[in-house]
């Protein structure tokens, strides 16, 4: 498992080397439940922030650049006037990419870009597949869609859906 504190300090130093002044990070934490986001920055007071990073990014098989890209993304939100993903934040993200080409800071990034499998795929017990276009969705719980897929249609093509239980899952 990667050391979040060490990586965060490296990222902060790289941003300071560019002349950027980040806000104060009160707490770095690891989110073991997040599957749809890589990180989150929350402002808790003026200039003070809590940042959490997905545990999936701290696993040994994940490339360190992918992890540091997310950490820098979140640190940029601590810069004054950068809480959103537009304007100054977007400008600074592009500036980081020019200064450090290994980091491509964007608003969102996919599992494939991070070198990981799809978020729901790793813990899902069920797979729903469209017989028309082949699109797949994963579910951990046996809700109505899993129990009665014939009552639903594909949102992409309108095709029929089929549910199957996956083997060797949780």
């Amino acid at each position: 498992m990667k050391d979040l504190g060490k990586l965060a300090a490296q990222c902060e130093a790289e941003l300071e080397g560019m002349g950027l002044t980040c806000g104060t990070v009160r707490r770095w934490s690891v989110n073991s439940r997040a599957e749809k986001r890589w990180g989150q920055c929350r402002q808790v007071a003026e200039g003070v922030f809590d940042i959490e990073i997905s545990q999936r990014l701290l696993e040994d098989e994940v490339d360190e650049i992918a992890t540091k890209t997310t950490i820098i993304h979140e640190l940029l939100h601590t810069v004054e006037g950068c809480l959103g993903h537009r304007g100054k934040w977007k400008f600074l993200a592009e500036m980081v990419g020019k200064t450090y080409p290994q980091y491509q800071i964007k608003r969102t990034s996919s599992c494939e870009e991070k070198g990981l499998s799809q978020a729901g795929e790793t813990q899902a017990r069920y797979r729903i597949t469209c017989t028309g276009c082949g699109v797949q969705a994963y579910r951990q719980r046996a809700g109505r869609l899993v129990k009665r897929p014939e009552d639903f249609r594909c949102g992409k093509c309108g095709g029929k859906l089929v549910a199957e239980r996956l083997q060797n899952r949780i």
Side-chain angles (χ1 to χ4, degrees):
M1 182 78 71
K2 292 179 181 59
D3 181 350
L4 176 57
K6 177 183 165 192
L7 292 175
Q10 290 172 2
C11 292
E12 287 174 344
E14 289 172 353
L15 292 177
E16 286 175 14
M18 292 176 54
L20 293 177
T21 303
C22 295
T24 302
V25 178
R26 178 182 77 169
R27 179 177 39 231
W28 286 94
S29 60
V30 178
N31 186 327
S32 60
R33 295 181 59 178
E35 290 194 19
K36 304 236 182 214
R37 67 173 179 244
W38 303 118
Q40 183 179 28
C41 177
R42 284 187 300 267
Q43 185 171 13
V44 294
E46 187 67 35
V48 181
F49 302 85
D50 286 345
I51 296 179
E52 63 182 40
I53 301 295
S54 172
Q55 181 176 337
R56 296 179 74 201
L57 289 176
L58 298 173
E59 294 176 7
D60 291 330
E61 62 271 6
V62 176
D63 183 50
E64 193 171 279
I65 297 299
T67 305
K68 289 175 76 174
T69 297
T70 298
I71 292 170
I72 290 172
H73 172 118
E74 300 307 332
L75 280 171
L76 287 177
H77 285 304
T78 70
V79 175
E80 188 176 338
C82 292
L83 282 177
H85 291 111
R86 295 182 174 176
K88 186 176 179 183
W89 182 91
K90 189 174 180 180
F91 172 78
L92 293 177
E94 291 170 0
M95 194 169 95
V96 168
K98 289 175 184 170
T99 306
Y100 301 108
Q102 68 270 32
Y103 304 128
Q104 294 305 308
I105 313 296
K106 303 185 308 184
R107 187 179 70 79
T108 63
S109 57
S110 68
C111 290
E112 291 79 22
E113 289 173 302
K114 299 289 187 187
L116 295 165
S117 62
Q118 287 290 352
E121 196 175 324
T122 57
Q123 295 183 350
R125 291 182 177 133
Y126 305 94
R127 178 174 41 225
I128 293 74
T129 306
C130 173
T131 59
C133 66
V135 70
Q136 295 181 333
Y138 295 88
R139 298 289 185 269
Q140 186 168 347
R141 296 184 181 172
R144 287 185 358 201
L145 177 61
V146 170
K147 292 177 182 174
R148 298 191 47 85
E150 64 275 6
D151 292 347
F152 298 88
R153 295 290 181 170
C154 174
K156 186 175 180 183
C157 75
K160 293 182 180 183
L161 301 175
V162 177
E164 64 181 302
R165 182 167 175 83
L166 299 172
Q167 299 299 317
N168 301 325
R169 302 294 171 133
I170 299 176

